[in-house]
Amino acid sequence: MSESSGFFISQGGDRKYTTDWLAKYINALVTTGVYNDECGVTAGTGMTVSVAAGRAWIEGYLYLLDAPKALIISNADASNGRKDIVVLRLDLTTRTITVLVVEGTPSATPAAPAITRTADVYDLELAEISIPAGTSAITQALITDKRLDDTVCGITVSTVQHIPTASFLEQMLAEFNDWFLDVKGQLSTDVAGNLLQMIQALSYTIEFEAGDWTVGDSECTITIPAITHGMAGDVVDCKAFALVSGVYEAGAWAAFETYATIDASNVITLHYPGSSGYAGRAVLSAYETNPLA
């Protein structure tokens, strides 16, 4: 057991503070995480992604990226999908913080690799990248932003303001499950089935650029692999929006004529009846039409 405190005026060299002690001091004031909306990961050219300029604190150590940085994603497997993650890695052995790709393992049911957090290495996960078999280019639809996930990254704030979102969400989910188990037995079969259908409906939001669409004879399409959206069902609802410009209010979103279909392999396809694609976003939810069958 030991005690330490500071900072005090040194008298004859009796008060010397190490960089490790300074990092602990900073970590007591500022939480580990990235600055709001900085260090985001977006699709690059071909099998590359780009990490935006930004800042982060990791266990009391500061990271600065003053310009976007391109990272190369390894070629896709010919038969199985893969999931990689992009992390900021604090390495106390090399005395560095660097951004890098941690590659996953190809599998019929691919899982993202775990972040590393040991006495010498501490990762912040910025994004997860899905790489379906045979993929030749990374699109934005394949990238999942992980910066707001408090369990693997989070936003840096003063410790007096920090709210551990993961624990609150876990608590709310547990309370909801208790409520549902209690009320489920009181409902008729039809009502319970309808409620279960709504609960089991998952949602997925995709943002896309005009160039992400594949142009066909009468429509444009975007394909979203099952490992990317993580949903299952035989029906998919779609609410699509485009960013308003021109004579309308800048920065507003407007509904757009886009619909979605889902096949037996849970691959979702966005359909837009136009001669060219558009930049926007779509909120999707998939569910079984008869979940109790």
Side-chain angles (χ1 to χ4, degrees), residues 180 184 187-200 287-293:
F180 180 69
K184 184 170 64 174
L187 301 174
S188 69
T189 301
D190 289 341
V191 176
N194 291 335
L195 183 58
L196 180 61
Q197 175 177 310
M198 289 186 291
I199 292 171
Q200 289 180 334
Y287 56 87
E288 299 287 348
T289 53
N290 189 12
L292 298 182

Side-chain angles (χ1 to χ4, degrees), residues 59-141:
E59 298 296 278
Y61 293 89
L62 178 63
Y63 174 76
L64 299 173
L65 181 62
D66 59 8
K69 182 174 182 178
L71 298 176
I72 298 175
I73 305 300
S74 297
N75 290 336
D77 185 78
S79 304
N80 292 305
R82 190 181 83 236
K83 290 187 176 182
D84 296 351
I85 59 175
V86 177
V87 302
L88 288 178
R89 173 164 291 176
L90 164 67
D91 190 326
L92 295 177
T93 302
T94 60
R95 294 166 292 146
T96 58
I97 299 177
T98 52
V99 61
L100 53 91
V101 177
V102 180
E103 188 171 318
T105 302
S107 170
T109 55
I115 57 174
T116 300
R117 289 184 177 176
T118 64
D120 296 320
V121 175
Y122 196 105
D123 287 346
L124 290 184
E125 183 178 349
L126 302 178
E128 179 182 296
I129 304 171
S130 297
I131 305 147
T135 297
S136 59
I138 302 298
T139 65
Q140 197 61 38

Side-chain angles (χ1 to χ4, degrees), residues 14 17 24 46 65 86 89 111-112 114 148 154 183 206 210-211 216 218 228 289 293:
D14 66 344
Y17 299 94
K24 292 179 180 178
L65 181 62
V86 177
R89 173 164 291 176
L148 293 181
V183 76
I206 174 177
S218 60
T228 299
T289 53

Side-chain angles (χ1 to χ4, degrees), residues 188-235:
S188 69
T189 301
D190 289 341
V191 176
N194 291 335
L195 183 58
L196 180 61
Q197 175 177 310
M198 289 186 291
I199 292 171
Q200 289 180 334
L202 302 176
S203 64
Y204 176 78
T205 300
I206 174 177
E207 295 192 2
F208 44 81
E209 300 297 331
D212 293 336
W213 294 84
T214 298
V215 179
D217 293 336
S218 60
E219 66 176 8
C220 300
T221 58
I222 292 179
T223 300
I224 310 172
I227 64 170
T228 299
H229 60 73
M231 299 189 294
D234 55 14
V235 176

